[in-house]
Amino acid sequence: MNDYLVSIIIPAFKTEKYLEQCVDSALSQSYKNLEIILVDDGSPDRCPQIMDAYAASHENVSVIHKQNQGIGLARNTGLSAAHGKYVFFMDSDDSLDGSEAIRNLVREAEEKQADITTGNFRKFQEEEFQGINHHHLQENMEIDSPDFRFSGFYRYGHMAYDWGKLYRREFLIGNDIWSKPYPFTQDKAHNMLCYAYHPKYAFIEESVYLYRINEESVTFRYKPNMSSVWLSIAKDFHEELRQRNIEDHFGDITAFHVFFGSFFLVKQELMAKHGMRGAIRAVKEYGKDSFAKQAMKDLAKGKYVRDISCFTWKVLIRWSAILFSLHGYALFVFGISLVRTLRIDGKITEKRNKAKRGEKRQMAIGKKRVQPESLCLCELLKIALTEEKDVDHIASLLDQIDLEKVISMAREHRVLPMLYDVLEEYLEECQPKLLLKLQQAGEMVVKQSYRLLFLTKDLTELIQKHGIPVVVLKGCGVASYYPIPEYRKSGDVDLLFRNMEDVYAAGKLLEQRGYVVKEEQHANHHIVYQGPDGIDLELHAMLAEPFDNENINKKMEELLPRYFETIRETNSMGIKIPTTADPLQALELLLHMLQHFLRAGFGLKLLTDWVVFWNQVSEEETVKQFAALAEECGVSGFAKAVTLLCEKYLGLTKMHIYGDNLEAEFSRGYAEQFLMDIIQAEEFGKADKNRMVALRKRSLWGYVKEFHYQMRMNYAEESKKKWKWPYLWCKTFVIFLRNNRRLGRGSLHSILKSAGERAGVVEEMRLFKKKR
């Protein structure tokens, strides 16, 4: 990204209390090519002195002192003095939201070659911060449409503000667009004129601006001239378009402007405690204006209203306009006051409510961060997997954390042996006893690895000898990709067969060796045998447990023969075992993770499999084939989420699979949220008593759908008869409660709550959608 100059323009009037915080937020930006223009709008307090002090101590800060003429003309003064390719307006009682705000805006503006780039914002008061106000606008929307204009200027309002936007200076100067000297709402008038020149818009999801709820500001003060100013903005807009010879087809902008003028007029009178009578008098006076009268008549007839997408706003605006046009001012005021009392205007759209749920998730992330020990474990695994050992770096990692806790966590995630070589040199000096424990744990895993390897070789040769094709899944096959294959811990052997007939035939061969079918079978896609030595052997006739989606289940069935068409021998720790082609093996690893994730979850060990596999397999054709398979199965979103996590925390080489800008496809903080889910799960969700499933969607329907899916999985044959469903639902619920008590799991409420919380991670994966 080219480091273009950005001019930040900050007018100030009577804001000495907040000015330093505002300017400091601009100076703290990671994007350094900034000029900060402070405009003293004849402020009678200490603002001029504060500005001069900043200019004296910072080369990129300048000050302009002028007589008081209002914020609009103060912005014009700053714009006239600006030199940047882009300009950014700030109010002096506000702040930028984080050090990356300007950088994020410039990056998007350059990428999209935008004239106006808009971000999200947050409101705050004192030290209390609200959630993100989302614009819900995209550059691929039909920008020249009434619905876009309604959403941008009124429904969400982000297009109506001068602050929180990056303007291309040449667009403003070249089109002679300046702020008007209105005492308030000058932002909307300015941006309405900008819109008339058809700028190229761009929108980012990051919050870039902190808007202070300052009850001393003009916004929150009573305005006796509100009606005249509000109507002047609408009238002047059309007159200016006429004088500039711009085609005027923006009647919807001003019609909605008139409606919301009446809305805010009532709200202001009630807030000023002028009562219903005062509000009725104000609206009646507002209705005498011919421009307002015509606009309300148009809305009452449905003009413009029919072109907006939100049904509730359609009803509210049209019926309000009808009452206004029929001079039913008392009912009009009563309706607006009811809307205000019930806060319907803040809850009126489904998207806004969805945004608030997303904000709660983001706030939860902020309160519940990944623990330092978890991040340290990830960093140590990254060193083990990439063999980039640096003793000083390791020492600095372990300096501020509880090493015993890291070791315990590694043990629970079944990755402890991988840390032996990483920590050996460090622990030799400071904690030799702990090193001995690591060594003993490693020796046990190495012995088990060779034991399973020779068992796998013996059994696959037996099965192949009888003409039954077989493929080794995970385990020994994946271990071959590790820097030290013996350190990849495994407890059983997984074998894949073409169909159930082959599974039963292989089972008979195993029974001759003393294997028996385990009494408890916990899955529908394999049969588990246990050998005389206590080792489990899983015989699979499917790639994974059936999902609650017919497309992926059908695709898994179609793909199964290909696993046997591409059988090859893989050298694992010096022993050759039958595996399959790399793209198919990668898909099976992914489906295995997804299956466990949608149940109780999975731990770090499966992520390390993903890292070593793709760090070893880099052929472009393999990448293309896997990406196509994931897309066909509708699991690209999950693949991208897993890949992002491995890139960010575990050393997966970028540019393999999905390129180097993967983080932009997910919301801010998503990777950390996903990592927390995996850390809390440990191996297959065994650690958290409240974890059973992850919902696809957080809603009542999401719970119902998951419960029905569990019933069908538990009673696959019986559930084919729909008349049995009520009985099977009851049976499933009773068994769930009984097992819950027997296994010592959490309460029903805590399990349902956990499932709903995990749905926040699932939703962004867009599972089983073919396009992301």
Side-chain angles (χ1 to χ4, degrees):
M1 180 178 73
N2 292 322
D3 208 13
Y4 293 108
L5 179 66
V6 175
S7 303
I8 298 181
I9 299 169
I10 308 175
F13 181 77
K14 290 185 177 180
T15 53
E16 63 176 1
K17 184 178 178 182
Y18 311 113
L19 181 58
E20 291 182 359
Q21 184 178 350
C22 174
V23 179
D24 287 344
S25 75
L27 289 170
S28 66
Q29 291 298 296
S30 65
Y31 190 92
K32 295 303 181 185
N33 195 16
L34 303 172
E35 65 168 357
I36 300 173
I37 302 172
L38 306 177
V39 183
D40 166 28
D41 190 29
S43 185
D45 57 4
R46 290 184 57 256
C47 282
Q49 290 82 0
I50 294 171
M51 291 177 168
D52 289 337
Y54 273 107
S57 59
H58 296 84
E59 292 183 357
N60 65 331
V61 178
S62 60
V63 179
I64 301 173
H65 298 284
K66 61 182 289 295
Q67 66 181 25
N68 178 244
Q69 294 177 298
I71 191 171
L73 296 186
R75 284 174 179 155
N76 290 345
T77 300
L79 179 59
S80 297
H83 300 94
K85 179 176 181 179
Y86 298 102
V87 294
F88 185 90
F89 297 108
M90 291 183 68
D91 289 354
S92 55
D93 55 350
D94 297 337
S95 298
L96 288 166
D97 194 357
S99 61
E100 297 295 313
I102 298 297
R103 182 176 298 279
N104 289 335
L105 287 167
V106 173
R107 181 186 293 115
E108 189 72 9
E110 282 298 303
E111 182 179 328
K112 301 291 170 50
Q113 291 296 294
D115 298 309
I116 302 176
T117 306
T118 301
N120 290 316
F121 70 91
R122 293 190 291 161
K123 292 182 179 181
F124 74 109
Q125 190 169 25
E126 299 304 327
E127 297 303 319
E128 293 186 11
F129 292 83
Q130 297 180 10
I132 296 174
N133 272 274
H134 294 270
H135 52 67
H136 296 295
L137 300 169
Q138 307 293 335
E139 57 269 14
N140 59 0
M141 292 175 67
E142 182 58 51
I143 290 177
D144 189 14
S145 68
D147 194 44
F148 181 87
R149 294 191 283 269
F150 179 75
S151 294
F153 284 104
Y154 304 106
R155 187 180 181 187
Y156 304 116
H158 287 62
M159 286 170 60
Y161 313 125
D162 277 346
W163 45 260
K165 292 182 178 62
L166 197 70
Y167 295 86
R168 189 167 60 85
R169 186 172 64 90
E170 185 55 38
F171 170 77
L172 297 177
I173 301 295
N175 291 307
D176 197 28
I177 300 173
W178 304 88
S179 290
K180 302 297 181 184
Y182 300 115
F184 53 87
T185 319
Q186 61 283 118
D187 292 43
K188 184 171 290 182
H190 181 236
N191 281 287
M192 283 162 58
L193 187 57
C194 286
Y195 179 84
Y197 276 93
H198 303 288
K200 168 71 173 174
Y201 283 103
F203 303 94
I204 65 173
E205 291 303 316
E206 289 86 356
S207 174
V208 298
Y209 199 81
L210 295 173
Y211 176 83
R212 185 186 300 274
I213 302 173
N214 180 6
E215 295 179 358
E216 299 174 359
S217 69
V218 174
T219 303
F220 293 91
R221 289 203 299 267
Y222 180 77
K223 308 171 188 66
N225 59 342
M226 181 175 180
S227 297
S228 59
V229 172
W230 198 272
L231 290 172
S232 292
I233 290 172
K235 296 173 186 177
D236 293 348
F237 174 64
H238 288 295
E239 177 60 21
E240 183 143 15
L241 296 187
R242 187 188 66 78
Q243 291 179 5
R244 291 175 179 243
N245 294 316
I246 297 176
E247 182 184 358
D248 186 358
H249 61 281
F250 305 118
D252 55 301
I253 288 183
T254 49
F256 290 129
H257 182 82
V258 168
F259 167 76
F260 281 98
S262 66
F263 188 93
F264 293 129
L265 186 61
V266 172
K267 197 172 182 179
Q268 174 183 264
E269 295 297 319
L270 294 175
M271 287 177 67
K273 302 190 186 316
H274 292 169
M276 294 287 286
R277 288 186 179 181
I280 292 169
R281 280 196 303 269
V283 172
K284 189 174 182 180
E285 190 65 28
Y286 190 73
K288 290 179 181 179
D289 185 273
S290 59
F291 189 91
K293 194 181 298 183
Q294 185 58 51
M296 285 296 200
K297 281 184 178 179
D298 289 340
L299 294 175
K301 294 175 182 177
K303 190 175 183 181
Y304 310 129
V305 180
R306 65 175 65 93
D307 295 320
I308 64 177
S309 59
C310 181
F311 176 77
T312 315
W313 271 121
K314 282 184 178 182
V315 173
L316 180 58
I317 292 173
R318 189 162 187 187
W319 278 102
S320 298
I322 290 171
L323 288 173
F324 190 99
S325 299
L326 295 175
H327 306 296
Y329 300 124
L331 286 174
F332 178 86
V333 170
F334 175 76
I336 297 300
S337 65
L338 187 63
V339 167
R340 175 176 174 266
T341 302
L342 298 177
R343 297 182 180 179
I344 295 173
D345 54 331
K347 304 174 181 177
I348 202 166
T349 69
E350 181 184 1
K351 280 189 175 180
R352 179 67 63 111
N353 289 334
K354 285 183 178 178
K356 288 185 177 179
R357 290 196 292 270
E359 289 158 20
K360 288 179 181 177
R361 188 168 78 242
Q362 292 296 331
M363 291 169 69
I365 294 172
K367 293 177 181 177
K368 191 175 181 182
R369 312 292 297 186
V370 177
Q371 294 299 309
E373 286 78 11
S374 301
L375 293 174
C376 178
L377 175 56
C378 290
E379 186 66 19
L380 293 175
L381 288 172
K382 177 180 177 180
I383 295 169
L385 298 175
T386 58
E387 298 185 289
E388 296 177 359
K389 187 175 179 181
D390 182 335
V391 177
D392 292 336
H393 175 52
I394 294 169
S396 66
L397 280 175
L398 303 177
D399 189 38
Q400 302 295 327
I401 55 94
D402 183 347
L403 182 56
E404 290 283 357
K405 188 174 180 180
V406 173
I407 296 297
S408 175
M409 195 182 306
R411 184 180 294 108
E412 297 299 331
H413 283 267
R414 305 298 189 265
V415 293
L416 184 58
M418 298 182 205
L419 302 187
Y420 177 74
D421 284 0
V422 176
L423 297 177
E424 181 181 12
E425 193 171 343
Y426 173 82
L427 293 178
E428 272 181 342
E429 297 182 5
C430 59
Q431 297 193 49
K433 290 184 178 179
L434 185 56
L435 178 62
L436 181 61
K437 290 182 180 179
L438 274 178
Q439 183 179 349
Q440 291 170 345
E443 288 174 355
M444 291 177 61
V445 169
V446 170
K447 291 177 182 177
Q448 178 75 345
S449 295
Y450 278 113
R451 187 182 183 190
L452 290 174
L453 175 65
F454 283 105
L455 178 63
T456 301
K457 178 180 183 294
D458 180 39
L459 295 179
T460 53
E461 286 181 349
L462 170 68
I463 292 167
Q464 288 174 326
K465 184 179 178 181
H466 285 79
I468 305 172
V470 62
V471 169
V472 176
L473 299 176
K474 305 183 291 291
C476 302
V478 176
S480 64
Y481 293 97
Y482 279 78
I484 303 177
E486 293 87 341
Y487 285 172
R488 200 275 184 187
K489 182 176 175 59
S490 185
D492 56 17
V493 177
D494 295 84
L495 302 178
L496 180 67
F497 295 89
R498 296 175 300 181
N499 47 50
M500 286 305 300
E501 287 77 9
D502 284 358
V503 167
Y504 293 136
K508 289 181 180 180
L509 296 174
L510 294 174
E511 289 169 4
Q512 296 173 11
R513 292 285 190 96
Y515 282 81
V516 296
V517 177
K518 290 191 73 171
E519 185 176 341
E520 289 191 17
Q521 299 285 326
H522 298 291
N524 294 317
H525 68 299
H526 61 59
I527 297 177
V528 183
Y529 282 80
Q530 190 170 68
D533 51 6
I535 295 176
D536 286 350
L537 192 65
E538 294 183 0
L539 309 187
H540 297 251
M542 293 177 63
L543 298 178
E545 181 91 9
F547 296 94
D548 65 336
N549 178 273
E550 289 305 316
N551 174 63
I552 188 173
N553 293 337
K554 183 179 179 181
K555 196 65 191 176
M556 288 195 299
E557 188 177 339
E558 292 174 356
L559 286 172
L560 187 59
R562 288 174 57 180
Y563 279 74
F564 298 91
E565 294 167 3
T566 55
I567 289 180
R568 65 181 187 183
E569 287 190 335
T570 294
N571 190 316
S572 181
M573 295 177 275
I575 300 295
K576 292 182 178 180
I577 56 175
T579 61
T580 191
D582 285 333
L584 296 170
Q585 192 166 1
L587 180 66
E588 204 284 325
L589 287 174
L590 186 73
L591 295 176
H592 178 64
M593 276 192 282
L594 178 59
Q595 174 185 296
H596 283 290
F597 175 68
L598 292 178
R599 303 285 70 79
F602 64 89
L604 290 170
K605 186 177 74 173
L606 296 189
L607 287 183
T608 62
D609 287 349
W610 195 249
V611 173
V612 295
F613 181 88
W614 286 110
N615 278 353
Q616 291 290 326
V617 179
S618 58
E619 289 81 3
E620 187 175 344
E621 188 58 33
T622 298
V623 172
K624 286 182 179 179
Q625 288 182 25
F626 165 75
L629 289 171
E631 183 68 42
E632 289 172 19
C633 291
V635 293
S636 288
F638 180 67
K640 290 177 181 180
V642 168
T643 302
L644 170 63
L645 206 60
C646 292
E647 284 181 358
K648 196 172 179 70
Y649 297 106
L650 291 169
L652 176 61
T653 304
K654 288 192 176 183
M655 303 303 291
H656 280 314
I657 324 176
Y658 293 115
D660 62 350
N661 195 32
L662 200 50
E663 197 160 6
E665 297 202 26
F666 297 90
S667 63
R668 187 171 59 177
Y670 180 80
E672 188 172 8
Q673 187 185 15
F674 191 11
L675 178 63
M676 282 193 291
D677 184 272
I678 288 171
I679 292 292
Q680 291 165 2
E682 296 185 3
E683 190 181 40
F684 305 138
K686 294 176 182 177
D688 190 347
K689 297 296 184 183
N690 295 325
R691 297 168 69 97
M692 291 191 73
V693 296
L695 299 182
R696 294 264 304 281
K697 191 174 183 179
R698 284 181 295 184
S699 64
L700 177 60
W701 177 243
Y703 286 102
V704 171
K705 188 174 181 180
E706 179 61 34
F707 181 76
H708 182 69
Y709 169 68
Q710 293 296 326
M711 179 273 287
R712 294 187 65 182
M713 287 298 98
N714 291 328
Y715 306 104
E717 290 301 319
E718 288 182 89
S719 64
K720 291 178 181 178
K721 301 174 182 178
K722 293 184 179 181
W723 62 270
K724 282 191 173 185
W725 284 1
Y727 164 71
L728 295 177
W729 288 333
C730 295
K731 188 176 179 181
T732 301
F733 186 65
V734 169
I735 291 175
F736 162 75
L737 293 176
R738 186 188 66 191
N739 290 342
N740 227 33
R741 189 177 297 108
R742 181 170 60 85
L743 296 173
R745 288 192 172 274
S747 66
L748 176 61
H749 175 265
S750 62
I751 289 173
L752 294 177
K753 183 179 177 182
S754 172
E757 288 174 349
R758 294 187 66 214
V761 180
V762 179
E763 284 174 352
E764 289 199 46
M765 295 174 180
R766 295 179 58 80
L767 288 177
F768 312 131
K769 301 285 193 298
K770 289 193 175 184
K771 294 290 183 182
R772 181 171 174 79

